[in-house]
Amino acid sequence: MVNLSLYTVRAMVIMDGDGNRLVAKYYSRGPHAQNYKTVKEQKKFESELFSKTRKSSGEVILYDSQTVLFKYVNDAYFYLIGDPEENELLLSAVLNGLVDAISILLKHSIDKRSLLDNLDMVVLALDEAVDDGIALETDPNVIASNVSKRGAETTDITLSGLNEQVFMDMYTQAKERLNIALLK
């Protein structure tokens, strides 16, 4: 009997062309909690994974008893690590949706520099696609839209608060000027 679970993703890692970590999220919930609990173990796993996949032409491998999907875009490697029994098509949909959403958010300019410059949006996109190991969204347009909305809401709230403060300052200054003019 197959043990069904919502926890489909063990980790998501983005590395540059030299195998250095740019972003990594390891999830430790679910029936098959990941084995890499310390940063040292994670980095060792990532360097071995990079060595194994940097010259590979495929997109899916079984590595260290885990299903690993990867995608190379310009000078960045995107990895999605799942359970060995997990459906590769589901994992592929999550990875492709995430990469396409990041491409939309970065205006189709995915490289190490743009990923680091827009790290906040990249991490938000990761969180929109996968939450604590559960695949939430695969549509890149929805992921990008949700990330964009978060940024827009924050900006709008700040600007509306700023506008109210400006109006209050203008009102106070006008009131003081009127009082001074009346007292003369």
Side-chain angles (χ1 to χ4, degrees), residues 59-118:
E59 292 183 351
V60 180
I61 62 169
L62 188 63
Y63 180 73
D64 198 21
S65 300
Q66 301 177 94
T67 302
V68 178
L69 282 86
F70 60 96
K71 190 167 191 164
Y72 180 70
V73 181
N74 294 334
D75 65 347
Y77 285 87
F78 293 82
Y79 293 95
L80 189 138
I81 295 99
D83 292 330
E85 312 86 29
E86 195 55 59
N87 183 341
E88 291 89 2
L89 293 176
L90 170 70
L91 296 177
S92 177
V94 173
L95 180 63
N96 289 331
L98 174 68
V99 172
D100 292 345
I102 290 172
S103 178
I104 291 168
L105 290 167
L106 300 180
K107 297 174 180 45
H108 305 287
S109 173
I110 295 180
D111 58 12
K112 178 182 176 179
R113 182 74 178 166
S114 61
L115 287 168
L116 290 175
D117 288 346
N118 299 290

Side-chain angles (χ1 to χ4, degrees), residues 150-170:
R150 284 186 180 180
E153 289 171 1
T154 305
T155 305
D156 289 345
I157 291 170
T158 305
L159 290 177
S160 67
L162 178 66
N163 290 338
E164 290 175 6
Q165 185 62 40
V166 168
F167 286 124
M168 290 302 295
D169 290 344
M170 287 178 10

